[in-house]
Coordinates of all heavy atoms in Angstrom, one line a residue:
R186 N -74.8 -11.9 14.5 CA -75.8 -11.3 13.7 C -76.2 -12.2 12.6 O -75.4 -13.0 12.0 CB -75.2 -10.0 12.9 CG -75.2 -8.8 13.9 CD -74.1 -7.8 13.3 NE -72.9 -8.5 13.2 CZ -71.8 -7.8 12.9 NH1 -71.7 -6.6 12.7 NH2 -70.5 -8.5 12.7
L200 N -74.4 -12.7 -2.4 CA -74.0 -13.2 -1.1 C -72.5 -13.1 -0.9 O -72.0 -12.7 0.1 CB -74.6 -14.5 -0.9 CG -74.4 -15.2 0.5 CD1 -75.5 -16.3 0.6 CD2 -73.1 -15.9 0.6
R229 N -64.2 -20.0 -0.2 CA -62.9 -20.6 0.3 C -61.7 -20.0 -0.2 O -60.7 -19.6 0.5 CB -62.8 -22.1 -0.2 CG -61.6 -22.8 0.6 CD -61.4 -24.2 0.2 NE -60.9 -24.4 -1.1 CZ -60.4 -25.5 -1.6 NH1 -60.5 -26.6 -0.9 NH2 -59.9 -25.6 -2.8
P240 N -55.6 -23.3 7.2 CA -56.4 -24.3 7.0 C -57.2 -24.9 8.3 O -58.5 -25.1 8.1 CB -55.7 -25.5 6.4 CG -54.4 -24.8 6.0 CD -54.3 -23.6 6.7
W249 N -73.0 -30.2 -2.4 CA -73.7 -30.7 -3.7 C -73.4 -29.8 -4.8 O -72.8 -28.6 -4.6 CB -75.2 -30.9 -3.4 CG -75.9 -29.5 -3.2 CD1 -76.0 -28.7 -2.1 CD2 -76.8 -28.8 -4.2 NE1 -76.7 -27.6 -2.3 CE2 -77.3 -27.7 -3.6 CE3 -77.2 -29.1 -5.5 CZ2 -78.2 -26.8 -4.1 CZ3 -78.0 -28.2 -6.1 CH2 -78.5 -27.0 -5.4

Side-chain angles (χ1 to χ4, degrees):
R186 286 157 303 186
L200 185 153
R229 190 180 76 167
W249 64 288

